[in-house]
Amino acid sequence: MGGQIRTKRNFLFFLLSILAGVVILAVAVYGFSLLRHRSGIPAEIDRSVLVQIDETEIKAPRDEEFALAGKRPGRPADFHLRTPDGGVRKQTLPLVPYYARTIYLTVYLIIGLACIAIALFAFLLRPDDRKARIYYWLSLAFGSAVIISGEFYCVGRAWTTYVPSILFILGYAAAPALFLDFALAFSRSEKSGRRALRFMPAAVIAAVQTAVFLAAFLKPSIAMFRAYNAYYFIFRVYVIIYVVLAVWTLYRTFRKSADDEERTQVQWIFFGLAAGIVPFVFLYQIPTALGIHPPITEEFAAFFYIAIPVTFFVAIVKYRLMNIHLIINRGLVYSILTVFTVSVYFAVIESVRKLFAG
């Protein structure tokens, strides 16, 4: 009798999880559809001397997001610019589409949908596996936030536009805690009683961020908006701490575990993290930070993120059928050859460009 009740309870949880996933995905796609209304500053405006947009005083670059939130492209805006003699002149120009002539949105839509779809497939195949359940919710949190792209970008006049913004805040706040929970699921010594305590910081951060965000845009209040941005430092610290703890937990599990299957699963997780993050960091972020033209665009670099959900899926479902050592060895060789070929290609292109420019 107890087994039947448990089975019915698990089946009900499964159905509710799928239904919740459908709702979250629908809200995320709705938020994505609103991104085409995000406005940008015209190219004619020198942002280095910009002091005010309409009634909003600009003291920091992010103040521009507050000033433009809810205003559609094509709408005229008053730009107040500082003049060399210390005065201010006003220039009225129509706002421009922020994402014009870029595939940025499409790339992150594909990444977000891929994360959710792969995790859903793993959950359908392993509904009773705790790792698959956590991975499903982790992918919903992260994937929906990636699709929406930002909490300020889809805000409009209608109250419904705030729903994707709040989902973005909740998703990014929950993702680090879910990642740590996912890492702990591989440790058999993990104590489930501490789970609520682990999610407490995420709940507090999400509640505070949501409250300050709504106060900033419903009033509206630039002071609350600046407070939100200042508070974001705490969120970054929280993310770093939880991600480091998750990676350390996986490493400790790999070192201490005597179970070959468990060690293989952890290897797949590490392989996916390396394959997804390393190209983005070394081929885009570091060159950009050093002032060097990166060999690949941000959109192309972001496609490497697909490796993370794929390898997480393999770690849960197919790890017995695939030789991780052979794949890593071959993958390392192919990656080195790819990086070398791409670097030589762009070096030649840059040399030819400079030659003909001269």
Side-chain angles (χ1 to χ4, degrees), residues 46-332:
D46 184 358
R47 296 169 67 178
S48 65
V49 295
L50 182 62
V51 295
Q52 186 173 325
I53 301 176
D54 290 335
E55 298 80 21
T56 304
E57 184 180 9
I58 305 300
K59 292 184 177 180
R62 295 209 73 181
D63 290 350
E64 298 171 5
E65 296 179 356
F66 179 83
L68 299 179
K71 298 176 181 178
R72 295 200 171 192
R75 176 193 181 280
D78 296 329
F79 299 93
H80 301 262
L81 308 170
R82 186 182 297 107
T83 58
D85 60 0
V88 176
R89 67 180 179 88
K90 184 176 75 172
Q91 187 173 357
T92 302
L93 290 172
L95 298 172
V96 299
Y98 187 89
Y99 294 111
R101 299 178 181 178
T102 178
I103 61 170
Y104 178 89
L105 293 181
T106 304
V107 168
Y108 282 94
L109 173 65
I110 293 173
I111 293 172
L113 291 176
C115 287
I116 295 174
I118 294 171
L120 173 62
F121 190 41
F123 185 45
L124 292 174
L125 292 176
R126 298 283 192 274
D128 297 326
D129 189 337
R130 181 166 174 252
K131 302 182 190 70
R133 293 196 300 268
I134 299 173
Y135 173 48
Y136 173 69
W137 289 105
L138 170 60
S139 296
L140 280 175
F142 180 74
S144 61
V146 167
I147 293 171
I148 297 169
S149 296
E151 63 269 63
F152 312 131
Y153 306 158
C154 54
V155 171
R157 297 182 181 275
W159 67 268
T160 54
T161 61
Y162 287 83
V163 178
S165 298
I166 294 173
L167 176 60
F168 176 88
I169 295 173
L170 298 178
Y172 261 135
L178 286 167
F179 183 42
L180 177 58
D181 201 38
F182 180 70
L184 287 167
F186 288 90
S187 176
R188 298 181 180 181
S189 60
E190 200 273 315
K191 297 179 180 179
S192 59
R194 298 178 181 176
R195 194 177 191 189
L197 187 61
R198 291 197 300 271
F199 279 89
M200 188 65 68
V204 172
I205 287 173
V208 173
Q209 282 186 311
T210 301
V212 178
F213 167 81
L214 291 176
F217 284 93
L218 291 178
K219 275 192 172 183
S221 170
I222 185 65
M224 294 300 293
F225 178 78
R226 289 168 180 159
Y228 180 93
N229 291 326
Y231 171 79
Y232 216 77
F233 170 77
I234 299 176
F235 174 77
R236 292 191 180 98
V237 173
Y238 151 72
V239 171
I240 293 172
I241 291 174
Y242 267 62
V243 170
V244 170
L245 285 175
V247 173
W248 171 250
T249 299
L250 289 168
Y251 175 74
R252 187 181 59 182
T253 300
F254 177 77
R255 290 297 301 270
K256 292 185 176 182
S257 178
D259 188 338
D260 289 338
E261 290 186 357
E262 192 173 76
R263 289 169 61 88
T264 300
Q265 287 179 303
V266 174
Q267 281 181 304
W268 274 109
I269 298 296
F270 279 131
F271 177 53
L273 293 173
I277 297 174
V278 170
F280 183 84
V281 172
F282 285 92
L283 295 179
Y284 178 78
Q285 287 286 8
I286 292 180
T288 302
L290 295 176
I292 304 171
H293 183 71
I296 59 177
T297 63
E298 179 183 359
E299 291 84 359
F300 184 76
F303 265 117
F304 286 98
Y305 286 146
I306 298 294
I308 298 177
V310 170
T311 53
F312 279 30
F313 172 84
V314 173
I316 296 171
V317 179
K318 294 288 186 180
Y319 62 93
R320 293 187 183 91
L321 303 180
M322 305 181 74
N323 190 329
I324 179 66
H325 301 287
L326 179 61
I327 290 175
I328 289 178
N329 292 336
R330 289 183 176 178
L332 182 61

